[in-house]
Amino acid sequence: MVIIMQTGAPEAEIEAVIRAVEEAGFRPWVNPGIERKVIALLGAVDAEKAELVDHFAALPGVERVTLISEPYKLASRRTHPDSTTIQVGEVTVGGSELAIIAGPCSIESRDQMFAAAHAVKEAGANLLRGGAYKPRTSPYSFQGLGVKGLELLAEAGRAVGLPTVTEVLHPGDLDVIVEHADVIQIGARNMQNFRLLQEVGKAGKPVILKRNPGCRVQELLTASEYVMLEGNANLILCERGITSFENATRYTLDLNAIPVIKRFSHLPVIVDPSHAAGDWHYVQSIALAAVAAGADGVMIEVHPNPAAALSDGPQSLTPERFKALMGALSQVAEAVGRRTAGSMAQE
Amino acid sequence: MVIIMQTGAPEAEIEAVIRAVEEAGFRPWVNPGIERKVIALLGAVDAEKAELVDHFAALPGVERVTLISEPYKLASRRTHPDSTTIQVGEVTVGGSELAIIAGPCSIESRDQMFAAAHAVKEAGANLLRGGAYKPRTSPYSFQGLGVKGLELLAEAGRAVGLPTVTEVLHPGDLDVIVEHADVIQIGARNMQNFRLLQEVGKAGKPVILKRNPGCRVQELLTASEYVMLEGNANLILCERGITSFENATRYTLDLNAIPVIKRFSHLPVIVDPSHAAGDWHYVQSIALAAVAAGADGVMIEVHPNPAAALSDGPQSLTPERFKALMGALSQVAEAVGRRTAGSMAQE
Amino acid sequence: MVIIMQTGAPEAEIEAVIRAVEEAGFRPWVNPGIERKVIALLGAVDAEKAELVDHFAALPGVERVTLISEPYKLASRRTHPDSTTIQVGEVTVGGSELAIIAGPCSIESRDQMFAAAHAVKEAGANLLRGGAYKPRTSPYSFQGLGVKGLELLAEAGRAVGLPTVTEVLHPGDLDVIVEHADVIQIGARNMQNFRLLQEVGKAGKPVILKRNPGCRVQELLTASEYVMLEGNANLILCERGITSFENATRYTLDLNAIPVIKRFSHLPVIVDPSHAAGDWHYVQSIALAAVAAGADGVMIEVHPNPAAALSDGPQSLTPERFKALMGALSQVAEAVGRRTAGSMAQE
Amino acid sequence: MVIIMQTGAPEAEIEAVIRAVEEAGFRPWVNPGIERKVIALLGAVDAEKAELVDHFAALPGVERVTLISEPYKLASRRTHPDSTTIQVGEVTVGGSELAIIAGPCSIESRDQMFAAAHAVKEAGANLLRGGAYKPRTSPYSFQGLGVKGLELLAEAGRAVGLPTVTEVLHPGDLDVIVEHADVIQIGARNMQNFRLLQEVGKAGKPVILKRNPGCRVQELLTASEYVMLEGNANLILCERGITSFENATRYTLDLNAIPVIKRFSHLPVIVDPSHAAGDWHYVQSIALAAVAAGADGVMIEVHPNPAAALSDGPQSLTPERFKALMGALSQVAEAVGRRTAGSMAQE
């Protein structure tokens, strides 16, 4: 059983609930989230808990009490039957318009960032991505431009009129990222870096949470709970390929995950075909498939000159290939009752 | 190096080539295929082989000599740049019309088979499937009606005017299957049952080869070589999900495999969303995605009453749901320049 | 519910049971096994079945009636609490002496086979392996010497006084294999080739069933049921590595499978470190680990000259390395209360 | 090419090397590590680099210049052929005595921690583990006692005379962990939390780095580079199971990884059978196998009352079972030329 307190419930009310839990014979556990306290009962069996729901729900400061059988609660469609939409600039992620997030893997220079920004805007993207802090498998690889990169991303976003998306690696970088970017991305390697999730949850900006390639959909949904418990419901999930024995591609896109997430959660879900394949040859096919399967958008790496990219060159599209992809994607979007910004512009 | 003899090359020519190989200092290996002999040189390094290509190519009865670096040769797009199309009744698999193979997992009764046949025909399928020999994980599960099932399938196919597809498990059943069905399916569990592949290759009917859930795309393409070496180029590959740690679905559809196969092979490829998901809730999303990604068709389990099915009930569509799927599929097909029989009928 | 008939129950008794099942309102399914018929009730819920156990158990010709919740029954430790031992020549597989099966992957020539046989015998192996029919991923690879190979294996076995193990690929080869070998191996690719399993089950020789690298332990145990239902309880299971994303080795040994199989089944289990690793560097470590974990034996590829092997050279041990392995293995065997033939010889 | 500066090389020397790299026509990348700067050349091909090794190696402050083909360098056995040993209290990890790290998953109370400490010490453990900060998949699960837990762990360690091991989740907790514990563990979920790795690398205590269940051995070795580049060579690797399709156990122990790591790296490697299996029934078998395969130790969860554990109860051993395990482990250790503290105590 989980007792969810009202946001900002005073300390005295929280302590009173904790005492009530102890008096009922259970051990309380209090979530370390700052904005909204959640008190879980440890050691109780389901039957015992059910009788106590009304008892605890009546206490001051308690928002609601729930018996959760799934390990995730706030992300579940059962507690929120309607699909969630998230406003980012002029885009309503999860609405009929697809979120098309495009740009380079790493921000490398002003020229590169601006060339990419203009190219993706022109082709119909409605969000601009670029990495300033890069989690690289090897410490000998390029690790990003840091604050300088954030500034270039923000500048390029303003220049072409697109909101920006960038990844956070470390809680210490959050303030400067919040200052410069519109959407904060938590990368696949940090999906279960729970402290980072809590910090990002408190930052008050829309969040993209990428699935770790070794984690199940249920673990993704449970991780999302760490963000949402901090009061941030503006969460977009992202499927980007899982590990498997197949080695013809870098990862194996788990396309099944899209209808699975749609069935069990109300959160929007997008797909990253670039990382799922690791090879630009396959990116367009996968992007079309993702939209046909019901994804709310795609995140695609585009580089003005992939051969010279400091990271992820083999999986990056040239501006020309991205433009071709967007043309095909608009057709598929329409076939499933969605649309792209590009198709709207043409109307 | 591989020396491919002409179909029906006389024994004397084959023996002359074998002697030539031995005289050149190598050990010959002769493929046990009956129709077309292939002689491989064992123990030679690539440099030695390259010099001998012309020498062997000039011998009587030799069709061609190739240095293969890929483990598959006849299935490779490098030896056959144009995509292959395969005629089955009025359907050209691999052409602009999608192959929509539908019907029950197992043939259970006349009523069930005919109800399914009428339903899938009406909704726009152009091939009828049904299993008479079922490879069941447990020997205590229903194992199919055998010849009786084949007869029902053939009768139902004639009644609705659709060619039929059924699975072979054992070489001893091949003759009766060839007599009753139009396309022979080799199931996932038999993908590397190489003797069966050779026997099926000699049977002279179009073949569907399903990917084993524990095998790589390259192993699928290499297995296809066993069929094609027997002189049968009418081979359709089928992606039906691979094993992974994700347990929200029965298997993980490897959608990446579609563009990968299209890139490296000229053979048509279809997708089986029913087995890939193991749950009817996800079948439509996956089917649309498969077509958007470039698949040449889908194979879908439809049962008049899934709750009473003797096998695969949870993943079978009702006729109503299959009809809805076909409506959506026609839209996506059109978006990627393909069409369904249903959409043609409507024209 | 499953009704297991006595071996050789007359047709009239079988038909009477089938009628009784139908009269009770259920659909009977009869296993195609020749020696021992098994009749399963389809369409019954567990509660209904439980009431009928005594009813059916009293019918003539019925050996026993069981309500199975696990998909395997004859292989389950619940129906056979004591561990099974299997006599092969002088070796009691599953007893305190370990089964050490060694020899070349493929039988290539008399010299190679005899050199390997003498080497493994001298080092302490108690079973001799060699492949005459090879299931090769590519049709262009060496496929074995066939009957000629079987003869060499049998001759070498007699020469050194060791029973022999060889693989069957095709039911049509069974007779000649039974004539020449002491133990019949069903390879990993054929683990779910159920018709082959049934044929081998009827052949009356001890069987080694290797786990398919894409199948779960439960599927291995369920497949073993196909062999055992034919009246053959002399079945040895073999773990030989599963597929995973790790590519430093050819497969990933599932060491956990050993205690799992020991817990749920009474059948002996051995490990094949050569295939699990695909690299001789790791074979000794894995073999020692297998025995420490409780395996009843190991199967190891040994070749007089691995560099010239026609198959599996990289994972084959030289005679010297195999001898070193056996020395180390004897120590570990003793530490866990087992012994090797070599250690006995030394006493 | 990588230029490794001397520890504490002055800023002026670092800048001079950076200028030299630029003058040679390449782009320098400087590792953000504080203690020891590493300068990588971006954009150079191998041939160009080879010519420049001596040029850069001669510059002031440069310790060495290496052309790395493997993505890891400091962890490679090629640069450090002898196996590394790490001193922790009286234990030499990587030496002939095995590291036996035991204790509860979570520190729950003084009674529980002290009972566990006495039990594991008595049975022959030589390191005491206990989690104060727990990375739980669900935010509704018990998350650890924090500083209070660290204090209990340290106190229990002193009471029984064992060095202590505990996990860090967040850089902000590092100072207090360093104050209380002797070995810092980086958990599987944080294996690629590179910033945390760098911070821990600077903390100056021995480190255990656990493999992420979705990562390859090569990624583990490359991640270890982030710690070692900060000047900390006291790094112990830990295999704890990877993800696979097998669901009979929680994870699949990758036993192959032990000889693979031993071959390619000089770092000690231990195994965590508790997490690899997720079920106490299998822990002893796996622990024995790990030591037989060459592991330098094991890490085992022991709880005075597993049924009441707040985390990982099903995989925790009772003190009695741990004692039995240690008895068996001593035998296997001796068989492979190792020993346990318990076996020494008995001498």
Side-chain angles (χ1 to χ4, degrees), chain B residues 125-338:
Chain B
N126 49 16
L127 283 151
L128 180 65
R129 63 153 289 160
Y133 302 93
K134 301 302 303 174
R136 302 304 297 278
T137 303
S138 166
Y140 307 110
S141 302
F142 176 64
Q143 313 251 332
L145 295 180
V147 176
K148 176 68 186 164
L150 290 178
E151 291 167 356
L152 290 174
L153 175 66
E155 206 181 325
R158 282 192 301 271
V160 301
L162 292 183
T164 57
V165 180
T166 203
E167 179 172 355
V168 64
L169 293 188
H170 195 269
D173 302 328
L174 248 181
D175 284 351
V176 68
I177 288 174
V178 164
E179 186 186 335
H180 287 91
D182 300 297
V183 179
I184 304 173
Q185 176 182 317
I186 297 169
R189 289 188 182 85
N190 281 311
M191 189 196 95
Q192 293 192 317
N193 182 347
F194 301 123
R195 293 280 187 95
L196 182 63
L197 268 60
Q198 290 174 325
E199 300 284 340
V200 171
K202 285 182 282 193
K205 290 251 176 169
V207 176
I208 294 174
L209 179 61
K210 297 187 87 170
R211 179 182 182 185
N212 181 282
C215 286
R216 295 179 180 152
V217 166
Q218 193 183 72
E219 292 171 296
L220 172 63
L221 293 172
T222 309
S224 74
E225 217 71 2
Y226 276 93
V227 177
M228 298 179 80
L229 272 170
E230 300 301 326
N232 189 342
N234 292 323
L235 187 57
I236 301 162
L237 306 177
C238 181
E239 159 63 27
R240 44 77 74 211
I242 62 173
T243 57
S244 86
F245 61 84
E246 177 57 67
N247 60 4
T249 47
R250 191 168 167 196
Y251 292 97
T252 295
L253 177 78
D254 181 10
L255 187 99
N256 291 356
I258 301 173
V260 169
I261 291 173
K262 286 286 173 192
R263 183 177 176 196
F264 291 109
S265 176
H266 55 89
L267 295 172
V269 57
I270 64 173
V271 167
D272 174 348
S274 305
H275 283 87
D279 185 327
W280 69 263
H281 289 87
Y282 312 130
V283 168
Q284 177 167 328
S285 287
I286 299 173
L288 302 193
V291 168
D296 295 302
V298 289
M299 177 183 275
I300 293 177
E301 292 187 347
V302 178
H303 193 287
N305 181 8
L310 293 181
S311 60
D312 284 353
Q315 72 198 35
S316 294
L317 295 187
T318 59
E320 292 68 34
R321 290 195 181 108
F322 179 64
K323 196 172 172 185
L325 180 155
M326 287 302 298
L329 196 67
S330 296
Q331 302 295 314
V332 172
E334 204 178 322
V336 294
R338 309 295 283 261

Side-chain angles (χ1 to χ4, degrees), chain A residues 80-231:
Chain A
H80 192 298
D82 292 335
S83 293
T84 285
T85 59
I86 296 167
Q87 198 64 31
V88 183
E90 297 178 5
V91 191
T92 307
V93 181
S96 61
E97 183 185 343
L98 296 172
I100 309 291
I101 307 168
C105 173
S106 299
I107 304 158
E108 299 169 7
S109 68
R110 168 179 294 269
D111 284 356
Q112 173 247 21
M113 190 63 232
F114 272 72
H118 282 287
V120 304
K121 165 71 176 182
E122 188 186 336
N126 49 16
L127 283 150
L128 180 65
R129 63 154 286 159
Y133 302 93
K134 301 302 303 173
R136 302 305 297 277
T137 303
S138 166
Y140 307 110
S141 302
F142 176 65
Q143 313 251 335
L145 296 182
V147 176
K148 176 68 186 163
L150 290 177
E151 291 167 355
L152 290 174
L153 175 66
E155 206 181 328
R158 282 192 300 271
V160 299
L162 291 183
T164 57
V165 181
T166 203
E167 178 173 355
V168 63
L169 292 189
H170 195 271
D173 302 329
L174 248 181
D175 284 350
V176 68
I177 288 174
V178 165
E179 186 186 337
H180 286 90
D182 299 296
V183 179
I184 304 173
Q185 176 181 317
I186 298 169
R189 289 188 182 86
N190 281 311
M191 190 197 93
Q192 292 192 317
N193 182 346
F194 301 121
R195 294 281 186 95
L196 182 64
L197 268 60
Q198 290 174 324
E199 300 283 340
V200 170
K202 285 182 280 191
K205 289 251 178 171
V207 176
I208 294 174
L209 179 62
K210 297 187 88 170
R211 179 181 181 184
N212 181 282
C215 286
R216 295 180 180 151
V217 166
Q218 194 185 71
E219 292 170 297
L220 172 64
L221 292 173
T222 308
S224 74
E225 216 70 2
Y226 276 94
V227 177
M228 298 180 81
L229 272 170
E230 300 300 327

Side-chain angles (χ1 to χ4, degrees), chain C residues 115-201:
Chain C
H118 282 287
V120 304
K121 166 71 176 182
E122 187 187 336
N126 48 16
L127 283 151
L128 180 65
R129 63 154 288 160
Y133 302 93
K134 301 302 304 173
R136 302 304 298 277
T137 302
S138 166
Y140 306 110
S141 302
F142 176 63
Q143 314 252 332
L145 295 181
V147 176
K148 176 68 187 163
L150 290 177
E151 292 167 355
L152 290 173
L153 174 65
E155 206 181 326
R158 282 192 300 272
V160 300
L162 291 183
T164 56
V165 181
T166 203
E167 178 173 357
V168 63
L169 292 189
H170 195 270
D173 302 328
L174 248 180
D175 285 349
V176 68
I177 288 174
V178 165
E179 186 186 337
H180 286 90
D182 300 296
V183 179
I184 304 174
Q185 176 182 317
I186 298 169
R189 289 188 182 86
N190 281 311
M191 189 195 95
Q192 293 191 316
N193 182 347
F194 301 121
R195 293 280 187 95
L196 182 63
L197 269 61
Q198 291 175 324
E199 301 283 341
V200 171

Side-chain angles (χ1 to χ4, degrees), chain C residues 73-85 265-267:
Chain C
K73 170 73 187 142
L74 304 181
S76 171
R77 196 174 274 279
R78 280 208 267 165
T79 59
H80 192 298
D82 292 335
S83 293
T84 285
T85 59
S265 177
H266 55 89
L267 296 172

